[in-house]
Amino acid sequence: MSAIAGRVADFLNQYPPFNYLAYEDLTAIAKAIRVVSIEKNKTLFQINDTLHDSFYVVASGVVNLMVVSDAEESLLNKCYPGDIFGLRPFFAKNNYMMTAKAREESIVYAIPINAFRPYLAKNSDVLNFFLESFASNTKNPEESRRNLMSDNVSYNESPAEMQYFQTLSYNKAPLKVSPAAIIKDCAQQMTDNMMDSVIVTAQNHPIGIVTDMDLRTKVATGRYPITVTVDRIMSSPVITVPENVSLAEAQLLLLKNNVSHLCVTQDGSEKSEIKGVISQRDLVVAQASNPGVLIKEIKKSKTPADLRSVRGKLTDLIQASLQKNIPLTHVNNISGEITLAIVRRSVELAILDLGSPPARFAWLSIGSQGRKEQLLLTDQDSILVFEDVAAEKYRDVKNYFLNLAKKVTGTLEYVGYAPCPNGHMASNMLWCKSVSDWIKQYQGWMMRPGDGNDIASIFFDYEIAFGEQKIEEAITDAIFTDVLKRTSFFDYLGNDALRKPPPLTFFKKFYVEEEGENRDRFDIKTRALMPLIDGARLLVLGQNIRGINNTYQRYKQLAMEEPRRAEVYLNCAEAFLTLSKFRALEGLKYDHSGQFINLEELSKTDREKLKNALAPLKELEELIKDKFRLTQFS
């Protein structure tokens, strides 16, 4: 047995996070490991199976991780030797959300959670590896290879997983007593205040905790009389955490330390001021604000006020996620899904009020909503497309949908999405029409851009929020069938993309506003983000890449389509994320659109980071000029 354990330990020692452990610890873990053989196409666990008591490492062969997408099983990841999977028991108590199936005859090591948990407690590198890997959804912090395959399904499949990165709400006025307090008095105080714990303190530093469990197991059983001091029954030392602890961290700390409460202190240590206490109940309550629950709330909403309440919770979720450095791509898509759900429910409420539609239709969110890039409560943009109807019915059908759109846009305005100042909304009769009329509209934009028929390029960024998918597909087919024939269209879009004011002066200083309420502030939307957004749209249309609306994803796809220009595209993708985060943080801080950045409030490091993110704009400009042969600008 010891020889086998040694071979297992030697194998694991090649891969993080096991190589962070002392070899004798790794050997001890290896002695508890079970070796499991899986035949080809056999499963180790399936979706909705009860959680196992172990997580797994592939020793040989290949294990596929599968999820259900659109009623079909889809491959999420392939796990090769050294890859870790099946981590859900560490982070959640609900059943598995994916299937682990052997692609070929495979051997895996089953590592018991209870045997491994103590090493999380004493090795911060191992703990951080698990938390960071879970947070970034299968990304290895080492960046050398994908070693850890999280059971956290991608944002499309399980928005509820974002709950693990929320900052917790907890009791910020905990009961505190001295070590000399009498148990009877302490119990009475807990009863009077309807609390299940009391912190035992010395100089406002936590030295112990007494919970309902202590009173039941140590006093009610007769082990200690109610007349002795609380220091006789307190649990000590107290597990302490900082004020911005996430649900993931709190949950993992409760599990690995086998406790029911955490003490929040100013700096997270037991030698600093007490700020609150977190109980298991707080974790349960936190579930009510996770994305999965928010979407369920949206579906049950009966009034605009209900939807407004959910949108407020989404803002809190976005802010907490950005503070915890959750990847912005993940946050964008979670936010996008919830926003689309709000729009969808707004349409459903309008239909409930007006009665069944007289024709099939599609409600398309356009602009930042259509790109799933709307983290802030900026204005709403939308169009409505209804199926072609007989000429004599057209007017009545259009009137119905205009009334519907007015109700929907009114609801969204109440939720917090201001009307588009340019009138780009389905409630505008110009942007509510039949499939044939919309196809003519798009063809007109592409044939005669700028010829008294001003094009709004955001109309080429859309996502269906409600209605018939085939109607959206008809619009897409019409655009991509016609677009490559239109040289003048690309000239117009190219010149429009390059016409944006530059972000930096010749001497690499930020161009700031010279007058008005935003004087001396940097317009990050117009000078930095819009050139990247416009450039990505232009390039995917030019490459006939359909179905990808998000700016970051557009650049990633372009890098795959054009390997020789991949570096420029990838630089633009990362710049877009960096700039978007600057804008989101500014907007959340001041509760506005975040368009204008106060450079004076940025640290020197952040100013340099912002400036470095602007560098790809010049590369993008040169690429667009070369690709579309643009030499003069109108």
Side-chain angles (χ1 to χ4, degrees):
M1 177 64 186
S2 59
I4 295 174
R7 287 199 296 272
V8 172
D10 289 339
F11 174 85
L12 294 176
N13 197 37
Q14 301 175 66
Y15 306 101
F18 305 107
N19 59 358
Y20 300 149
L21 297 170
Y23 189 76
E24 56 268 26
D25 291 340
L26 200 52
T27 304
I29 294 168
K31 289 178 181 177
I33 287 174
R34 291 181 294 109
V35 179
V36 180
S37 296
I38 319 174
E39 295 178 16
K40 182 178 180 179
N41 293 328
K42 296 296 183 182
T43 61
L44 182 62
F45 54 78
Q46 299 184 66
I47 295 169
N48 289 327
D49 277 359
T50 303
L51 297 180
H52 295 181
D53 62 0
S54 302
F55 67 97
Y56 300 96
V57 180
V58 179
S60 65
V62 181
V63 176
N64 288 345
L65 300 182
M66 320 287 287
V67 296
V68 173
S69 178
D70 296 328
E72 294 183 2
E73 210 167 46
S74 301
L75 179 65
L76 180 67
N77 271 312
K78 297 178 182 178
C79 301
Y80 297 95
D83 286 343
I84 300 170
F85 66 97
L87 280 173
R88 176 160 291 274
F90 268 119
F91 296 94
K93 294 183 179 179
N94 52 322
N95 296 343
Y96 285 110
M97 299 187 71
M98 60 175 59
T99 295
K101 180 185 293 186
R103 183 183 176 192
E104 58 192 58
E105 188 173 334
S106 303
I107 294 174
V108 300
Y109 295 142
I111 305 180
I113 300 284
N114 288 337
F116 195 78
R117 184 179 283 119
Y119 300 96
L120 284 177
K122 66 180 184 180
N123 192 309
S124 60
D125 288 335
V126 177
L127 174 59
N128 289 337
F129 182 93
F130 275 15
L131 286 172
E132 290 172 16
S133 298
F134 194 82
S136 58
N137 188 31
T138 79
K139 294 292 189 268
N140 183 344
E142 302 276 316
E143 294 184 357
S144 57
R145 55 171 288 151
R146 289 187 300 174
N147 166 263
L148 190 150
M149 301 302 177
S150 168
D151 272 356
N152 174 17
V153 186
S154 63
Y155 59 82
N156 284 330
E157 307 304 331
S158 180
E161 295 304 338
M162 279 294 290
Q163 67 181 291
Y164 296 112
F165 313 110
Q166 292 171 244
T167 297
L168 278 168
S169 295
Y170 52 85
N171 178 11
K172 295 181 179 173
L175 295 178
K176 293 182 278 189
V177 298
S178 73
I182 303 301
I183 291 176
K184 179 181 178 181
D185 297 335
C186 178
Q188 188 63 53
Q189 195 176 355
M190 290 167 64
T191 301
D192 292 344
N193 289 277
M194 299 177 63
M195 291 189 184
D196 63 358
S197 67
V198 60
I199 304 291
V200 184
T201 69
Q203 298 178 331
N204 202 29
H205 295 167
I207 62 170
I209 186 169
V210 174
T211 68
D212 279 345
M213 179 67 74
D214 293 315
L215 295 177
R216 291 198 302 271
T217 60
K218 299 175 183 177
V219 180
T221 57
R223 288 174 57 195
Y224 294 92
I226 62 174
T227 54
V228 302
T229 54
V230 293
D231 60 340
R232 301 281 299 278
I233 66 166
M234 71 182 185
S235 299
S236 182
V238 185
I239 307 302
T240 56
V241 294
E243 293 181 84
N244 67 342
V245 67
S246 72
L247 177 52
E249 295 161 318
Q251 185 163 294
L252 194 55
L253 287 169
L254 290 176
L255 285 171
K256 75 179 187 182
N257 292 290
N258 195 28
V259 296
S260 60
H261 292 74
L262 303 171
C263 182
V264 182
T265 62
Q266 190 164 31
D267 67 5
S269 78
E270 61 186 32
K271 299 298 184 183
S272 66
E273 184 182 351
I274 296 168
K275 293 295 183 179
V277 64
I278 295 171
S279 68
Q280 287 181 322
R281 180 182 177 280
D282 294 322
L283 301 187
V284 174
V285 171
Q287 314 298 317
S289 293
N290 76 60
V293 173
L294 292 186
I295 287 179
K296 289 178 183 176
E297 278 190 45
I298 291 167
K299 290 178 179 178
K300 294 177 182 177
S301 294
K302 302 295 184 186
T303 67
D306 295 337
L307 294 175
R308 183 178 179 132
S309 173
V310 175
R311 186 55 181 82
K313 294 176 184 177
L314 174 58
T315 297
D316 294 340
L317 176 62
I318 291 168
Q319 188 151 24
S321 300
L322 294 178
Q323 289 171 350
K324 299 301 292 183
N325 289 317
I326 306 305
L328 192 65
T329 52
H330 199 83
V331 182
N332 263 332
N333 283 281
I334 290 292
S335 173
E337 289 300 322
I338 294 175
T339 301
L340 279 176
I342 290 172
V343 175
R344 187 178 304 118
R345 187 56 181 164
S346 298
V347 176
E348 290 170 350
L349 291 177
I351 290 173
L352 287 171
D353 191 25
L354 289 176
S356 299
R360 291 176 295 178
F361 74 103
W363 183 285
L364 305 183
S365 290
I366 62 174
S368 60
Q369 272 187 2
R371 296 190 302 269
K372 290 187 176 175
E373 294 166 2
Q374 192 179 41
L375 294 179
L376 302 167
L377 275 166
T378 51
D379 60 301
Q380 53 176 300
D381 300 283
S382 59
I383 64 175
L384 191 149
V385 189
F386 55 86
E387 66 179 336
D388 291 331
V389 295
E392 63 272 16
K393 294 182 179 179
Y394 188 94
R395 182 174 178 178
D396 289 341
V397 169
K398 181 164 182 170
N399 282 340
Y400 171 91
F401 286 117
L402 279 173
N403 287 330
L404 177 85
K406 286 173 183 174
K407 286 185 176 293
V408 174
T409 55
T411 294
L412 293 175
E413 182 177 2
Y414 182 83
V415 168
Y417 299 101
C420 173
N422 297 314
H424 297 151
M425 297 187 297
S427 53
N428 182 334
M429 64 183 302
L430 292 174
W431 314 130
C432 173
K433 47 196 171 189
S434 68
V435 173
S436 293
D437 285 346
W438 268 114
I439 289 174
K440 290 175 185 175
Q441 177 72 72
Y442 276 100
Q443 288 173 338
W445 277 331
M446 290 184 286
M447 290 173 61
R448 299 177 300 278
D451 183 21
N453 186 18
D454 193 26
I455 183 173
S457 53
I458 62 167
F459 284 83
F460 289 83
D461 300 334
Y462 51 81
E463 176 87 5
I464 186 168
F466 184 95
E468 295 288 330
Q469 192 76 42
K470 289 183 178 180
I471 290 179
E472 181 200 33
E473 291 169 0
I475 299 294
T476 301
D477 288 342
I479 292 171
F480 283 93
T481 299
D482 205 42
V483 69
L484 293 182
K485 308 171 189 173
R486 308 302 177 188
T487 305
S488 60
F489 175 66
F490 288 109
D491 286 343
Y492 182 94
L493 283 188
N495 285 313
D496 188 56
L498 297 175
R499 198 180 293 121
K500 298 293 186 293
L504 300 175
T505 68
F506 179 79
F507 297 103
K508 304 301 179 184
K509 301 285 186 182
F510 288 101
Y511 268 116
V512 295
E513 299 301 292
E514 296 182 354
E515 54 188 26
E517 60 179 330
N518 295 303
R519 184 177 177 180
D520 295 329
R521 294 175 183 254
F522 176 65
D523 185 347
I524 195 169
K525 176 184 176 182
T526 306
R527 293 183 181 272
L529 286 166
M530 288 311 300
L532 288 169
I533 293 167
D534 291 345
R537 180 191 305 111
L538 167 67
L539 290 161
V540 296
L541 287 169
Q543 288 280 75
N544 216 255
I545 298 170
R546 61 173 75 192
I548 302 178
N549 300 323
N550 179 266
T551 301
Y552 174 81
Q553 293 296 339
R554 281 172 166 173
Y555 281 119
K556 297 286 279 190
Q557 185 65 34
L558 286 162
M560 294 172 62
E561 299 282 340
E562 290 189 272
R564 67 188 181 91
R565 288 171 163 152
E567 185 176 358
V568 176
Y569 293 136
L570 294 175
N571 288 341
C572 288
E574 292 306 314
F576 178 76
L577 293 184
T578 300
L579 295 166
S580 296
K581 188 168 183 179
F582 270 106
R583 182 183 180 184
L585 290 172
E586 185 80 7
L588 290 167
K589 183 178 181 180
Y590 294 106
D591 193 25
H592 58 42
S593 71
Q595 180 172 349
F596 296 95
I597 303 290
N598 187 342
L599 299 172
E600 296 300 318
E601 292 185 356
L602 297 181
S603 66
K604 183 178 179 181
T605 301
D606 279 345
R607 281 198 297 271
E608 284 303 308
K609 187 177 180 181
L610 177 57
K611 189 174 291 185
N612 290 338
L614 300 173
L617 294 181
K618 190 64 179 175
E619 295 177 306
L620 179 64
E621 180 182 330
E622 294 303 318
L623 185 153
I624 290 174
K625 285 180 183 177
D626 176 61
K627 192 173 182 67
F628 296 99
R629 297 177 184 173
L630 302 174
T631 56
Q632 54 185 335
F633 312 126
S634 55

